Amino acid sequence: MITTSTDILIVGAGPVGLTGALIAHELGLSVRIIERRPTAQSAPAAHVINARTFEIWRQIGLDVEKIRSAAQSPEQAGFVHWVTRLGEKVLGTLQYEQQGDDNLSVTPTPLRNLSQHLLEPLLVSELKNCGIGVEYASTWEACEEGPEGVISTVAINGQNEKISSKWLIACDGASSSVRNACGISMVGPDNLQKFLTFHFRADLKLLTAANPGILYWICDPRAGGTLISHGGDNEWVYMYPIAEGDEAQISPSECDQLIRKAIAPTSATITVLRQSSWTMTSQFADSYRLSRVLLAGDAAHRFPPSGGMGLNTGIGDIHNLMWKIDRIEAGVADLALLDTYEKERRPIAERNAQASMDNAFKMFDVFMALGIDPDIEVAFANLNRVLEDAEGMKVLDQAIQNQATHFDMLGLQIGYRYILSTSTTELEPLTDEIIRNYRPSVEAGNRLPHGWLERNGEKISSLDLVSLDDYLIVGGSEFVSDLPHIKIGQDVQDTDNWWSQILGLSSNEGLLVRPDQHIEQRLSSI
Ligand SMILES: Cc1cc2nc3c(=O)[nH]c(=O)nc-3n(C[C@H](O)[C@H](O)[C@H](O)COP(=O)(O)OP(=O)(O)OC[C@H]3O[C@@H](n4cnc5c(N)ncnc54)[C@H](O)[C@@H]3O)c2cc1C
């Protein structure tokens, strides 16, 4: 048994673990990342990568334009449709999230749809460019306290290795072995609904050309479920709810028949790549930390995918966590700084979970308007009756319009505020207004609002002023401070009046901004 040591051991090379390793490297911490799968993820799950996640990757120096170029275009993935079946009657359509260039006034990197199985290899390759390889086929098994922090036992190709790390970060997903070994339990409903999913390849362009989109809700009760486009109209996931105990695998020809029930007749070949089941839950770890072991991402929380917040919330966790570890390692903060990790991140995850749950349950209104019934033939007759009835269609249209918040969550994605240890202000109750509309704010705890500035002739985002390894002071043109700071109008040019118009600050005010781009304090000149 070999024993090696590192500053940080990350368990799990999902999006959160990979981002954690990239941040650790950027901060100059030594890191190892182990993954029990033999290779990178090949099954799609998440596809919504929101603006804040791209901002975080931008801050750590990833080639964000390259990552974004692998995403579906807003034209291709800009709508969600309710259809009888794919390629047949469209019953309603909503815009899918804020992806357009008009959002460049509030973020340098608007939301895109990039499937998780296409994203993860890009993050792996970024990590490789930093000289760090994901250690595949390596399963974390156990840990004990060690002189430097934690000693983990990891099974690699049938051999055990002991890895000593100052910090152990559990990014090992919803069934986290690290969390279980630490005796941390999950609280909340563990089985809201089971789903069967089929990942398949088929050229369905002819069926989608008139109505391109990312999600298609199938309203014909003889099929039901949701079709998710994972790119180019060639790669799809078909997902539908099942009863408890119905998870058994079915034959390829049965898969083919099931999928064809959800789409208009087509001569396209359907190649089923994978079938699997998953359980919708809404759960939180009862603690995010045990001494030097920390949980991030799905290991700490899991909630319905309705809203596309799971992966994105996990990226926010790891961003919040790593700079704190860095400051402790640098000797400029003590362990108490880590108490703020859960204090700040849990309320955000709880709000995201609440919005996701609300989205999931509100969707029933559409199926109620369609006359849902346990008897499929009755439900089908009800659907046809609604389609022929102007009043029924009006009720259906209203039910669909009421889903708008589900697919328009910019406020929640970039407008969240941390409850800082210096602040006693609780978060305001969640409303549709808060979820949908982003309102820039300089109240402590908020993300520094984005605006376009110019530095040495180069156009930058105000977020680019913040380096991950230090606090930043930025002040107006007449701001006075003994501490090093960036002065607007002197060090950076503000032709769009970001300082006065978006931030609403006067020329003798300043802001103290944390390494994670969240505002710590509003400052006056001294
Ligand atoms: C259908 C569906 C759609 C979704 N859509 C979205 C979306 O659009 N946007 C969004 O933000 N989220 C979405 N999500 C949620 C998202 O997929 C998860 O939140 C995200 O994958 C969590 O990332 P993670 O890195 O925390 O965990 P995971 O992605 O689960 O990664 C954990 C990794 O740890 C590894 N591992 C586990 N145990 C061990 C061990 N003992 N040793 C070594 N390695 C181990 C696993 O193999 C895995 O690779 C969706 C989920 C589903 C099911």
Side-chain angles (χ1 to χ4, degrees):
M1 186 171 305
I2 319 152
T3 305
T4 52
S5 63
T6 180
D7 288 333
I8 293 177
L9 175 64
I10 293 180
V11 182
V16 177
L18 290 166
T19 301
L22 285 157
I23 298 179
H25 173 77
E26 177 69 11
L27 288 168
L29 299 164
S30 62
V31 61
R32 286 180 67 178
I33 174 164
I34 57 167
E35 167 56 54
R36 75 174 165 202
R37 280 188 274 104
T39 55
Q41 168 86 285
S42 58
H47 52 92
V48 181
I49 309 298
N50 74 31
R52 186 64 190 135
T53 293
F54 283 121
E55 289 173 359
I56 291 168
W57 289 337
R58 177 180 167 111
Q59 190 195 23
I60 60 173
L62 303 197
D63 187 346
V64 168
E65 283 321 307
K66 181 175 169 199
I67 296 175
R68 289 169 67 79
S69 69
Q72 299 190 55
S73 70
E75 295 74 37
Q76 200 179 19
F79 295 97
V80 49
H81 306 284
W82 283 260
V83 293
T84 48
R85 300 195 300 169
L86 188 76
E88 292 187 342
K89 191 170 174 55
V90 177
L91 307 180
T93 294
L94 289 175
Q95 183 183 313
Y96 192 74
E97 294 289 355
Q98 302 286 333
Q99 304 184 48
D101 282 354
D102 48 329
N103 293 289
L104 291 172
S105 59
V106 294
T107 174
T109 48
L111 177 148
R112 286 289 180 272
N113 283 279
L114 172 57
S115 299
Q116 194 168 336
H117 66 306
L118 305 177
L119 163 71
E120 288 187 16
L122 294 172
L123 297 178
V124 170
S125 140
E126 288 274 0
L127 205 50
K128 206 169 164 194
N129 293 341
C130 303
I132 300 167
V134 174
E135 299 175 43
Y136 286 109
S138 303
T139 303
W140 185 92
E141 303 217 308
C143 68
E144 60 197 286
E145 230 176 276
E148 275 195 288
V150 190
I151 298 177
S152 294
T153 305
V154 179
I156 307 171
N157 297 323
Q159 301 258 326
N160 276 356
E161 180 183 341
K162 295 268 187 199
I163 302 180
S164 167
S165 60
K166 293 179 186 159
W167 306 94
L168 172 63
I169 309 203
C171 301
D172 51 346
S175 316
S176 172
S177 331
V178 178
R179 184 189 66 222
N180 294 339
C182 290
I184 299 174
S185 38
M186 292 298 266
V187 183
D190 64 354
N191 187 354
L192 291 165
Q193 175 67 56
K194 279 208 158 55
F195 290 85
L196 211 53
T197 64
F198 301 98
H199 174 203
F200 67 97
R201 224 179 264 290
D203 185 350
L204 302 179
K205 278 191 207 68
L206 285 178
L207 302 184
T208 57
N211 298 291
I214 180 82
L215 294 172
Y216 297 84
W217 297 85
I218 307 300
C219 297
D220 184 331
R222 296 170 303 178
T226 315
L227 276 161
I228 307 165
S229 164
H230 279 278
D233 288 339
N234 279 321
E235 201 171 348
W236 293 86
V237 165
Y238 178 42
M239 176 169 97
Y240 66 88
I242 50 166
E244 199 63 41
D246 279 0
E247 300 93 335
Q249 297 269 310
I250 55 175
S251 70
S253 68
E254 285 172 307
C255 292
D256 186 276
Q257 279 169 26
L258 266 169
I259 295 165
R260 284 186 193 279
K261 269 198 205 172
I263 63 182
T266 171
S267 57
T269 305
I270 292 175
T271 309
V272 177
L273 304 171
R274 178 179 296 97
Q275 54 174 305
S276 56
S277 64
W278 64 277
T279 307
M280 190 161 91
T281 65
S282 185
Q283 292 194 296
F284 288 83
D286 60 17
S287 170
Y288 279 22
R289 174 179 164 215
L290 180 69
S291 185
R292 285 176 168 259
V293 182
L294 293 120
L295 313 183
D298 274 18
H301 45 70
R302 50 195 301 217
F303 37 81
S306 34
M309 293 299 275
L311 178 157
N312 293 294
T313 307
I315 302 291
D317 292 344
I318 202 78
H319 188 230
N320 181 291
L321 175 61
M322 296 303 285
W323 71 268
K324 293 175 180 172
I325 290 181
D326 177 54
R327 291 190 77 75
I328 293 166
E329 284 302 308
V332 291
D334 62 27
L335 274 176
L337 181 60
L338 280 184
D339 296 340
T340 64
Y341 169 53
E342 180 172 346
K343 185 166 181 262
E344 291 173 1
R345 287 303 303 171
R346 180 185 280 269
I348 304 304
E350 284 173 350
R351 284 162 86 80
N352 294 347
Q354 185 192 332
S356 304
M357 290 276 278
D358 290 350
N359 290 342
F361 289 120
K362 207 160 42 171
M363 193 59 76
F364 281 113
D365 294 351
V366 175
F367 294 96
M368 293 298 283
L370 286 166
I372 191 172
D373 193 282
D375 183 326
I376 287 174
E377 288 314 316
V378 173
F380 185 56
N382 289 346
L383 164 71
N384 286 324
R385 199 168 309 121
V386 170
L387 295 184
E388 283 159 21
D389 171 36
E391 192 50 37
M393 284 302 283
K394 218 164 123 188
V395 173
L396 174 63
D397 182 57
Q398 192 53 55
I400 289 176
Q401 295 308 319
N402 285 348
Q403 309 301 318
T405 304
H406 181 158
F407 306 108
D408 186 20
M409 302 184 33
L410 184 68
L412 204 61
Q413 291 157 359
I414 62 172
Y416 58 84
R417 174 171 66 82
Y418 291 147
I419 305 170
L420 304 184
S421 49
T422 48
S423 139
T424 51
T425 331
E426 291 302 314
L427 300 181
E428 32 305 282
L430 207 51
T431 60
D432 280 7
E433 214 287 314
I434 290 177
I435 294 173
R436 295 183 74 171
N437 299 317
Y438 168 62
R439 309 238 180 261
S441 167
V442 290
E443 185 183 351
N446 279 283
R447 150 191 169 278
L448 177 71
H450 155 80
W452 292 109
L453 302 170
E454 205 181 292
R455 184 170 54 189
N456 303 327
E458 186 198 354
K459 187 175 172 181
I460 60 164
S461 162
S462 51
L463 293 164
D464 298 336
L465 298 174
V466 190
S467 154
L468 194 62
D469 60 359
D470 209 355
Y471 279 78
L472 163 81
I473 296 177
V474 55
S477 55
E478 295 173 293
F479 178 70
V480 181
S481 170
D482 292 343
L483 296 168
H485 60 276
I486 289 178
K487 207 185 273 295
I488 298 293
Q490 184 178 306
D491 303 307
V492 285
Q493 304 311 312
D494 180 15
T495 45
D496 293 348
N497 297 322
W498 167 70
W499 190 258
S500 58
Q501 288 188 4
I502 295 177
L503 304 190
L505 292 173
S506 65
S507 56
N508 60 4
E509 285 187 285
L511 290 175
L512 175 64
V513 186
R514 310 191 320 181
D516 61 357
Q517 302 170 325
H518 281 255
I519 297 167
E520 173 86 30
Q521 205 184 334
R522 189 167 169 169
L523 305 169
S524 313
S525 293
I526 49 158

